[in-house]
Amino acid sequence: MPKTAKQPQPKNPILPTRQPTLPPAARSRVALGLTAAAARGRLALQVCLDCGAVQYPPREVCRACLSHRLVWGPQDGRGELTTETVLRNAQELFFRERLPWRVGIVRLDAGVNVVAYIHASVGPAQCRVRVEAALDRAGQAALVAVPEQGRHSLSEDPQLREMTCDPRLRKALVTDGKSALGQAVVRALAAAGADLIWIGEAEPWKKDSGVAALRELPRAAIVPLDVTDGRSVRNLAGEIGGKVDIVVNTADFHRTFSITSRRGVETAQREMDVNYFGLLRLAQEFAPALKSRAADGATGATAWVNVLSIFALSNYPPHGTYSASKAAAFSLSQALRAELRPAGVRVINLFPGPIDDEWDQLERPPKLSPAAVATAIVEALKGSVEDVYPGDVAKDWLARHLDNPKALEHELGEGGQ
Ligand SMILES: [Zn+2]
C-alpha cells in the first residue's frame, strides 16, 4: 500500500549542504518530443505517417518501413505489465541513493514495449496498467505505470513523490495576497496541507484588500512584500529565503488598453514593473537560496510557479501592453527554468485564459474563476508538469498556436478570440 508522506525532520544546520544528484539527463534531440509532451502532462509516441506504426524508443526513421515521416501522436498509454523486477544495483549515483526501484516492461496496446517505473498501487505482473509520462527531477520524461482504472497521484508513492512538488508539509510563499487570485491560491495550498504559507502584502496600510481574512488560516503568516521594490524583496528573501520550498508568484498588474487608445507609457511601465521586473527581482533574491537547498531531500526546495497568461503566447491587441509584459515574463521564466533545473527545482508556468476579474470584464465567457486557477496550481504541484493551460480558452489558444502560430496572430488581430 502507498505510504503517506510524513513531516520531514528539520535540516541539521551544522551539516554541510550536499550537491543534488539528478537522474541522467542527456537525451538525443529526437527523444525530446517525449519530454515536450510530458511537460504538459501528456504521453506521446512517434507515429509513422506512411505505415501507421507506433514506435519506442524514439528514432530518426520508422522501424517498420524506414520512413522519415514521423510525428508525435498522443497515446492513452494502456497496456499490460508483462514482467517486473526490483533494481538493487545501479551505476548512476542518483538511482543508487534511492534503491530499491521497482521497474517493469509494459506491452502497450499500441504495439510497443516500454520500460517504466511501477507505482506502488500497481499489483504484481501480469496485470493491466496505464503508462503516464512524468518529468523527473532533471526535467526529462520518465514513464510511470499506474493502475489502469481511477486516478493515482505520483505523490502517493514514496519514491515517485520526488517527481512531484506536492505542497503537503511544504512551506510556500505566495507573492501577492491582495488579489482574489492570490487569496484563492493561499486557500488551495492550505487545503492541500502546506506546512506554512507566507502571504506577501504590498502597501499594508491599505486595509480593504481581503488579506485580513487570511489571518484566520492556521499556518499562514502575512509578510510585507512589494515586488516593485528591490529592497522589500531583498529583505524578505533575507528573512525567509532559506526556508521557502515553493514560490508561487501571483503578482500581476493588468490594465486593458490597446496601443492607440491611450497616450504615455506610465501604465505599460507599471505592467512591466510588476509582471516582468517583479519576477526578475524575486528570481535574483530567492532563486540562489532555492538552488542551495535543493539537495536537502524531503526538506528541500522544489518548485517555482509563475502565473503568466495565454496572452504571453501571442499578443491579444485589446490587451496589447499587458500581453507584451507577460511575453517578457514568459521569456524570463525560461531562463529561470534553465538555471534552476540543474538543482532539481522545477519552474511551472501557468497560461490561464481570461480570469473573471475587473480587467477582463469585456471578454466573452467562458472566464476562469480565481479558484479554478488556484486548483490548477495545486494539481500541477502534485503532478509532474512544467506548463499548464487552465480552462477551455487557454487550451483552444494553445491548440491553435501549435497548429499555426501565424494564423492565430491574424485571428487575434482581427478581434477573434
Ligand atoms: Zn512506417
Side-chain angles (χ1 to χ4, degrees), residues 48-53 62-67 69-70:
C48 175
L49 287 177
D50 286 318
C51 74
C62 172
R63 68 192 158 97
C65 74
L66 299 182
S67 165
R69 300 200 323 128
L70 298 167

Side-chain angles (χ1 to χ4, degrees), residues 153-232:
S153 163
L154 292 183
S155 55
E156 291 163 7
D157 179 301
Q159 262 167 318
L160 300 178
R161 177 176 154 89
E162 234 191 303
M163 288 191 199
T164 78
C165 311
D166 194 327
R168 187 171 139 72
L169 302 177
R170 288 192 163 118
K171 298 177 174 64
L173 166 67
V174 178
T175 60
D176 178 11
K178 284 193 148 184
S179 64
L181 174 61
Q183 288 157 20
V185 172
V186 169
R187 291 184 194 286
L189 289 172
D195 180 45
L196 180 58
I197 307 165
W198 288 283
I199 305 162
E201 182 183 31
E203 300 173 328
W205 53 89
K206 293 185 187 168
K207 286 297 175 199
D208 56 341
S209 61
V211 179
L214 300 176
R215 285 181 206 279
E216 278 141 42
L217 287 175
R219 305 186 307 279
I222 293 164
V223 290
L225 176 61
D226 179 352
V227 301
T228 66
D229 176 355
R231 186 182 298 175
S232 163

Side-chain angles (χ1 to χ4, degrees), residues 352-370 372-373 390-393 417:
I355 295 175
D356 201 0
D357 64 15
E358 58 186 311
W359 303 108
D360 283 318
Q361 267 178 26
L362 299 178
E363 296 307 317
R364 287 192 295 263
K367 285 187 270 192
L368 279 168
S369 69
V373 180
D392 293 340
V393 173
Q417 227 199 89

